[in-house]
Amino acid sequence: MITVKNLHKQFGDTEVLKGIDCEIQPSEVVCVIGPSGSGKSTFLRCLNMLEPVTKGEVIVDGRRLNDPETNINMVRTEVGMVFQQFNLFPHKKVIENLMLAPQKVRKVPEKDARERCLNLLEKVGLGDKAEEYPQQLSGGQQQRVAIARALAMEPKMMLFDEPTSALDPELVGEVLEVMKQLANEGMTMFVVTHEMGFAREVGDRVLFMDEGAIVEEGKPEQLFSTPQSERTAAFLNKIL
Amino acid sequence: MIGRFNWAGMVDFLPQLFTGLYYTLLISVVGLIIGFILGGIFGLGRIAKAKIINIISVVYIEMIRGTPVLVQAIWIYYALPLIIGFEIESVTAGIIVIALNSGAYIAEIVRGAVQSIDSGQMEAGRSLGLNHNQTMRYIIWPQAFKRMIPPLGNQFIISIKDTSLLSVILVPELIFQGRLIAANHFNAVEIYTTVAVFYLAITLTLSFVLQRMERRLDI
């Protein structure tokens, strides 16, 4: 579903990603862990071209992203994204947050869009919040709306950029629950996270990144219990 | 010598002052509408990616901000005709002055408001597949517009008062009429006091409307 070949990313003189190769299969849940500044968020943002790629290839669903011929907006409709800071549209009601892109990009008629979006809100447990504004909701609820908003485009895969890092501890669970449900339904997911419990339980594969490169990857139980690299071991030691 | 106010006969001057008020309002309203459009164009031009548009916007904004309104008025009324080869009627010139002047300041207001919107909003829009223009239109603009209202109100009031300088290019607005009456009847104190009340009536009304608007939009 996603193929990454020799991905490099530079901000000015700083090389943030130093040649990443990665393959993500349909329905796979890949979790990325690593210290801050290791480039994991940048990596994720390269997968839908929120960050332009400096060198290398990113191929999503058969389309090469850094090809001028590729319609990046089309690719993005297939790749949902959830942000650390939610980034809901504060001037729009919850239901309007969900309906905007389907109506404007996919040209779904309003009635159909509303019905589908209400179902999605039900699915994330917020059917009763449709007519409220984002700032009236708790952080956990806002992030669930953000997930529903991404799902409203019926994407083939979802990117999560530290979706629970901005949440109060007691609100983390409800968001992870929604993500788990999504994973169980077979959604392809790429998750940058500090939630080791989630990575262990839901992840099919875990990547450990440090200094702009993938240091180690493997099945969660293997990587968490018997890390091969010293850096992985040191990192896990500090946080577990 | 300190005399006393002499309001006798002031009522007789009111029609002439209302003529002045008419021109003050006409130039303010038309000038500010055009100024708002200019501000929108050059404000976005100021943050556009295309270098040339950027440079044009910066030059316009800095030229206007760096020179007094009075000089701009004189230049457009007296100097511009020498270049374009035909005269500009004083009211038209007045509208051009207010439009160009307010446009530059409004451009900065627009730029500031658009840039103050968190970059995550643009990213969220783009990540959903909306293109840049759609994201600007449906997500950035509505939020930026709300933030523009208080500084816009401020600029409107400044521009309304700036129209008083247009008497030097013979625009028959409030100050012009006031000066005319005062010169003929030696009642400068009473006339200018009345003129001040006229200005206050305009600006206070505008302030009130803006305050209501801000409250309604919950700014």
Side-chain angles (χ1 to χ4, degrees):
Chain A
M1 175 133 271
I2 290 190
T3 307
V4 179
K5 284 184 201 154
N6 193 29
L7 169 61
H8 286 260
K9 172 69 191 177
Q10 241 166 320
F11 290 112
D13 288 338
T14 330
E15 195 167 31
V16 184
L17 299 178
K18 303 169 183 170
I20 289 185
D21 295 282
C22 179
E23 186 94 30
I24 299 167
Q25 305 301 329
S27 291
E28 196 178 16
V29 178
V30 176
C31 294
V32 186
I33 60 171
S36 57
S38 59
K40 47 195 196 305
S41 280
T42 307
F43 179 24
L44 178 139
R45 291 159 60 85
C46 285
L47 297 181
N48 66 351
M49 282 280 271
L50 275 188
E51 296 293 352
V53 168
T54 309
K55 205 176 94 185
E57 282 190 350
V58 179
I59 299 160
V60 174
D61 206 18
R63 279 173 290 199
R64 193 167 169 274
L65 292 199
N66 42 340
D67 182 336
E69 299 284 299
T70 305
N71 181 347
I72 189 63
N73 294 320
M74 280 304 299
V75 177
R76 284 178 178 147
T77 61
E78 312 284 347
V79 182
M81 178 161 180
V82 175
F83 300 84
Q84 184 176 356
Q85 300 294 342
F86 327 139
N87 294 345
L88 294 176
F89 309 133
H91 60 302
K92 292 191 172 294
K93 290 176 179 171
V94 166
I95 186 77
E96 294 167 342
N97 263 270
L98 270 66
M99 287 164 62
L100 180 71
Q103 280 186 281
K104 301 301 177 196
V105 181
R106 290 224 198 274
K107 312 288 180 205
V108 179
E110 182 181 345
K111 200 168 150 279
D112 299 358
R114 181 173 294 274
E115 194 184 303
R116 220 171 66 198
C117 292
L118 275 173
N119 285 338
L120 280 169
L121 281 177
E122 288 293 343
K123 185 175 163 184
V124 298
L126 295 169
D128 54 334
K129 304 287 187 193
E131 300 299 323
E132 295 196 23
Y133 283 91
Q135 56 269 39
Q136 293 169 291
L137 307 183
S138 74
Q141 290 171 331
Q142 288 190 43
Q143 192 61 300
R144 284 188 280 155
V145 171
I147 294 173
R149 179 178 68 179
L151 291 175
M153 289 300 281
E154 300 183 323
K156 291 182 180 159
M157 68 167 303
M158 292 277 284
L159 309 174
F160 293 86
D161 188 5
E162 303 196 25
T164 57
S165 297
L167 295 176
D168 289 340
E170 80 268 24
L171 302 177
V172 169
E174 62 192 65
V175 172
L176 292 182
E177 205 50 51
V178 170
M179 290 168 63
K180 207 189 296 179
Q181 185 190 341
L182 211 53
N184 289 337
E185 287 168 10
M187 176 62 82
T188 311
M189 290 164 63
F190 187 87
V191 188
V192 171
T193 188
H194 293 295
E195 295 295 327
M196 299 304 148
F198 177 84
R200 192 191 289 255
E201 186 186 349
V202 183
D204 296 313
R205 187 149 54 103
V206 176
L207 311 181
F208 172 71
M209 278 184 73
D210 194 16
E211 291 176 0
I214 297 176
V215 175
E216 184 173 352
E217 62 174 285
K219 295 239 170 259
E221 55 270 30
Q222 175 261 313
L223 188 131
F224 283 119
S225 54
T226 52
Q228 305 297 304
S229 150
E230 253 171 58
R231 270 191 286 173
T232 315
F235 173 76
L236 291 173
N237 236 335
K238 258 183 257 172
I239 57 159
L240 289 181
Chain B
M1 185 200 82
I2 296 176
R4 34 189 3 220
F5 284 108
N6 177 12
W7 298 102
M10 192 52 65
V11 180
D12 298 339
F13 301 122
L14 282 181
Q16 198 177 343
L17 287 180
F18 273 111
T19 305
L21 178 67
Y22 165 74
Y23 282 107
T24 294
L25 284 174
L26 175 77
I27 290 171
S28 298
V29 171
V30 180
L32 282 172
I33 289 173
I34 302 172
F36 185 68
I37 297 167
L38 288 177
I41 294 170
F42 287 101
L44 291 181
R46 183 88 166 65
I47 42 180
K49 286 208 184 80
K51 243 228 157 88
I52 182 75
I53 298 174
N54 221 303
I55 292 171
I56 293 170
S57 304
V58 172
V59 167
Y60 162 63
I61 292 167
E62 293 303 332
M63 293 276 280
I64 296 291
R65 287 203 309 182
T67 52
V69 190
L70 195 60
V71 175
Q72 292 162 10
I74 291 170
W75 198 86
I76 285 178
Y77 189 61
Y78 294 108
L80 191 57
L82 300 180
I83 298 171
I84 57 176
F86 57 87
E87 283 188 22
I88 306 171
E89 203 246 325
S90 67
V91 173
T92 312
I95 289 173
I96 296 174
V97 171
I98 294 301
L100 282 179
N101 184 271
S102 65
Y105 288 95
I106 293 172
E108 285 294 277
I109 292 172
V110 169
R111 176 181 73 93
V114 169
Q115 286 184 333
S116 77
I117 304 299
D118 182 63
S119 61
Q121 292 289 309
M122 176 57 84
E123 291 184 349
R126 299 306 304 273
S127 79
L128 287 165
L130 296 165
N131 62 34
H132 183 270
N133 287 344
Q134 287 173 319
T135 312
M136 283 304 281
R137 179 164 157 209
Y138 298 116
I139 296 166
I140 308 295
W141 260 111
Q143 295 183 61
F145 188 73
K146 255 172 93 167
R147 291 192 194 175
M148 273 157 44
I149 289 172
L152 269 183
N154 200 27
Q155 182 55 44
F156 285 2
I157 287 173
I158 291 173
S159 289
I160 288 168
K161 293 190 296 179
D162 280 348
T163 60
S164 65
L165 293 165
L166 298 175
S167 59
V168 298
I169 58 166
L170 312 178
V171 175
E173 44 70 66
L174 264 173
I175 290 287
F176 183 88
Q177 305 289 0
R179 186 179 298 159
L180 222 57
I181 299 168
N184 289 323
H185 299 86
F186 310 108
N187 52 355
V189 173
E190 292 83 359
I191 282 293
Y192 282 121
T193 307
T194 314
V195 165
V197 172
F198 274 58
Y199 277 110
L200 265 177
I202 306 173
T203 53
L204 288 180
T205 310
L206 182 60
S207 287
F208 177 75
V209 171
L210 284 165
Q211 225 175 61
R212 290 273 311 252
M213 205 161 153
E214 285 178 29
R215 211 172 308 152
R216 274 239 334 253
L217 289 172
D218 192 23
I219 297 168

PDB file of all heavy atoms in Angstrom, chain A residues 93-106:
ATOM      1  N   LYS A  93     -19.364  23.716  13.188  1.00  0.00           N
ATOM      2  CA  LYS A  93     -19.883  22.712  14.116  1.00  0.00           C
ATOM      3  C   LYS A  93     -19.215  21.373  13.848  1.00  0.00           C
ATOM      4  O   LYS A  93     -18.667  21.143  12.761  1.00  0.00           O
ATOM      5  CB  LYS A  93     -21.394  22.558  13.935  1.00  0.00           C
ATOM      6  CG  LYS A  93     -22.182  23.754  14.414  1.00  0.00           C
ATOM      7  CD  LYS A  93     -23.661  23.552  14.108  1.00  0.00           C
ATOM      8  CE  LYS A  93     -24.458  24.749  14.611  1.00  0.00           C
ATOM      9  NZ  LYS A  93     -25.849  24.702  14.158  1.00  0.00           N
ATOM     10  N   VAL A  94     -19.314  20.489  14.821  1.00  0.00           N
ATOM     11  CA  VAL A  94     -18.707  19.167  14.705  1.00  0.00           C
ATOM     12  C   VAL A  94     -19.116  18.487  13.396  1.00  0.00           C
ATOM     13  O   VAL A  94     -18.273  18.026  12.616  1.00  0.00           O
ATOM     14  CB  VAL A  94     -19.107  18.299  15.920  1.00  0.00           C
ATOM     15  CG1 VAL A  94     -18.793  16.839  15.667  1.00  0.00           C
ATOM     16  CG2 VAL A  94     -18.355  18.790  17.162  1.00  0.00           C
ATOM     17  N   ILE A  95     -20.414  18.471  13.128  1.00  0.00           N
ATOM     18  CA  ILE A  95     -20.896  17.768  11.936  1.00  0.00           C
ATOM     19  C   ILE A  95     -20.382  18.447  10.670  1.00  0.00           C
ATOM     20  O   ILE A  95     -20.052  17.784   9.674  1.00  0.00           O
ATOM     21  CB  ILE A  95     -22.450  17.686  11.940  1.00  0.00           C
ATOM     22  CG1 ILE A  95     -22.958  16.834  10.782  1.00  0.00           C
ATOM     23  CG2 ILE A  95     -23.094  19.055  11.881  1.00  0.00           C
ATOM     24  CD1 ILE A  95     -22.810  15.359  11.002  1.00  0.00           C
ATOM     25  N   GLU A  96     -20.256  19.778  10.713  1.00  0.00           N
ATOM     26  CA  GLU A  96     -19.737  20.507   9.542  1.00  0.00           C
ATOM     27  C   GLU A  96     -18.256  20.230   9.325  1.00  0.00           C
ATOM     28  O   GLU A  96     -17.764  20.233   8.190  1.00  0.00           O
ATOM     29  CB  GLU A  96     -19.970  22.015   9.714  1.00  0.00           C
ATOM     30  CG  GLU A  96     -21.426  22.392   9.723  1.00  0.00           C
ATOM     31  CD  GLU A  96     -21.654  23.820  10.207  1.00  0.00           C
ATOM     32  OE1 GLU A  96     -20.753  24.398  10.853  1.00  0.00           O
ATOM     33  OE2 GLU A  96     -22.753  24.343   9.961  1.00  0.00           O
ATOM     34  N   ASN A  97     -17.537  20.016  10.430  1.00  0.00           N
ATOM     35  CA  ASN A  97     -16.135  19.624  10.317  1.00  0.00           C
ATOM     36  C   ASN A  97     -16.007  18.353   9.491  1.00  0.00           C
ATOM     37  O   ASN A  97     -15.122  18.219   8.652  1.00  0.00           O
ATOM     38  CB  ASN A  97     -15.552  19.366  11.718  1.00  0.00           C
ATOM     39  CG  ASN A  97     -14.813  20.565  12.268  1.00  0.00           C
ATOM     40  OD1 ASN A  97     -13.611  20.713  12.051  1.00  0.00           O
ATOM     41  ND2 ASN A  97     -15.521  21.423  12.986  1.00  0.00           N
ATOM     42  N   LEU A  98     -16.942  17.425   9.729  1.00  0.00           N
ATOM     43  CA  LEU A  98     -16.892  16.151   9.019  1.00  0.00           C
ATOM     44  C   LEU A  98     -17.366  16.277   7.572  1.00  0.00           C
ATOM     45  O   LEU A  98     -16.820  15.643   6.680  1.00  0.00           O
ATOM     46  CB  LEU A  98     -17.766  15.111   9.737  1.00  0.00           C
ATOM     47  CG  LEU A  98     -17.107  14.246  10.831  1.00  0.00           C
ATOM     48  CD1 LEU A  98     -16.701  15.099  12.018  1.00  0.00           C
ATOM     49  CD2 LEU A  98     -18.038  13.138  11.263  1.00  0.00           C
ATOM     50  N   MET A  99     -18.401  17.123   7.376  1.00  0.00           N
ATOM     51  CA  MET A  99     -19.049  17.163   6.064  1.00  0.00           C
ATOM     52  C   MET A  99     -18.286  17.974   5.020  1.00  0.00           C
ATOM     53  O   MET A  99     -18.471  17.764   3.816  1.00  0.00           O
ATOM     54  CB  MET A  99     -20.466  17.744   6.198  1.00  0.00           C
ATOM     55  CG  MET A  99     -21.450  16.793   6.858  1.00  0.00           C
ATOM     56  SD  MET A  99     -22.931  17.661   7.420  1.00  0.00           S
ATOM     57  CE  MET A  99     -23.587  18.293   5.875  1.00  0.00           C
ATOM     58  N   LEU A 100     -17.459  18.900   5.488  1.00  0.00           N
ATOM     59  CA  LEU A 100     -16.817  19.846   4.559  1.00  0.00           C
ATOM     60  C   LEU A 100     -16.097  19.167   3.398  1.00  0.00           C
ATOM     61  O   LEU A 100     -16.413  19.409   2.228  1.00  0.00           O
ATOM     62  CB  LEU A 100     -15.840  20.750   5.328  1.00  0.00           C
ATOM     63  CG  LEU A 100     -15.112  21.770   4.452  1.00  0.00           C
ATOM     64  CD1 LEU A 100     -16.059  22.862   3.989  1.00  0.00           C
ATOM     65  CD2 LEU A 100     -13.928  22.392   5.190  1.00  0.00           C
ATOM     66  N   ALA A 101     -15.132  18.301   3.730  1.00  0.00           N
ATOM     67  CA  ALA A 101     -14.317  17.706   2.658  1.00  0.00           C
ATOM     68  C   ALA A 101     -15.132  16.779   1.742  1.00  0.00           C
ATOM     69  O   ALA A 101     -15.012  16.868   0.521  1.00  0.00           O
ATOM     70  CB  ALA A 101     -13.108  16.996   3.243  1.00  0.00           C
ATOM     71  N   PRO A 102     -15.975  15.885   2.289  1.00  0.00           N
ATOM     72  CA  PRO A 102     -16.782  15.059   1.379  1.00  0.00           C
ATOM     73  C   PRO A 102     -17.610  15.902   0.414  1.00  0.00           C
ATOM     74  O   PRO A 102     -17.730  15.583  -0.771  1.00  0.00           O
ATOM     75  CB  PRO A 102     -17.688  14.265   2.325  1.00  0.00           C
ATOM     76  CG  PRO A 102     -16.940  14.196   3.602  1.00  0.00           C
ATOM     77  CD  PRO A 102     -16.168  15.487   3.691  1.00  0.00           C
ATOM     78  N   GLN A 103     -18.166  17.007   0.911  1.00  0.00           N
ATOM     79  CA  GLN A 103     -19.005  17.834   0.040  1.00  0.00           C
ATOM     80  C   GLN A 103     -18.184  18.591  -1.002  1.00  0.00           C
ATOM     81  O   GLN A 103     -18.562  18.650  -2.168  1.00  0.00           O
ATOM     82  CB  GLN A 103     -19.787  18.858   0.875  1.00  0.00           C
ATOM     83  CG  GLN A 103     -21.023  18.272   1.532  1.00  0.00           C
ATOM     84  CD  GLN A 103     -21.818  19.359   2.208  1.00  0.00           C
ATOM     85  OE1 GLN A 103     -21.499  19.807   3.299  1.00  0.00           O
ATOM     86  NE2 GLN A 103     -22.878  19.804   1.546  1.00  0.00           N
ATOM     87  N   LYS A 104     -17.072  19.177  -0.559  1.00  0.00           N
ATOM     88  CA  LYS A 104     -16.318  20.046  -1.471  1.00  0.00           C
ATOM     89  C   LYS A 104     -15.382  19.253  -2.383  1.00  0.00           C
ATOM     90  O   LYS A 104     -15.143  19.654  -3.507  1.00  0.00           O
ATOM     91  CB  LYS A 104     -15.492  21.066  -0.677  1.00  0.00           C
ATOM     92  CG  LYS A 104     -16.307  21.959   0.224  1.00  0.00           C
ATOM     93  CD  LYS A 104     -17.340  22.765  -0.549  1.00  0.00           C
ATOM     94  CE  LYS A 104     -18.194  23.594   0.415  1.00  0.00           C
ATOM     95  NZ  LYS A 104     -19.420  24.067  -0.254  1.00  0.00           N
ATOM     96  N   VAL A 105     -14.835  18.163  -1.893  1.00  0.00           N
ATOM     97  CA  VAL A 105     -13.868  17.415  -2.693  1.00  0.00           C
ATOM     98  C   VAL A 105     -14.544  16.271  -3.438  1.00  0.00           C
ATOM     99  O   VAL A 105     -14.392  16.105  -4.630  1.00  0.00           O
ATOM    100  CB  VAL A 105     -12.723  16.870  -1.818  1.00  0.00           C
ATOM    101  CG1 VAL A 105     -11.712  16.126  -2.680  1.00  0.00           C
ATOM    102  CG2 VAL A 105     -12.033  18.012  -1.073  1.00  0.00           C
ATOM    103  N   ARG A 106     -15.332  15.475  -2.715  1.00  0.00           N
ATOM    104  CA  ARG A 106     -15.975  14.324  -3.341  1.00  0.00           C
ATOM    105  C   ARG A 106     -17.332  14.653  -3.940  1.00  0.00           C
ATOM    106  O   ARG A 106     -17.970  13.812  -4.559  1.00  0.00           O
ATOM    107  CB  ARG A 106     -16.143  13.206  -2.308  1.00  0.00           C
ATOM    108  CG  ARG A 106     -14.843  12.556  -1.891  1.00  0.00           C
ATOM    109  CD  ARG A 106     -15.001  11.050  -1.855  1.00  0.00           C
ATOM    110  NE  ARG A 106     -13.961  10.400  -1.091  1.00  0.00           N
ATOM    111  CZ  ARG A 106     -12.789  10.049  -1.581  1.00  0.00           C
ATOM    112  NH1 ARG A 106     -12.507  10.317  -2.831  1.00  0.00           N
ATOM    113  NH2 ARG A 106     -11.893   9.450  -0.821  1.00  0.00           N
TER     114      ARG A 106
END
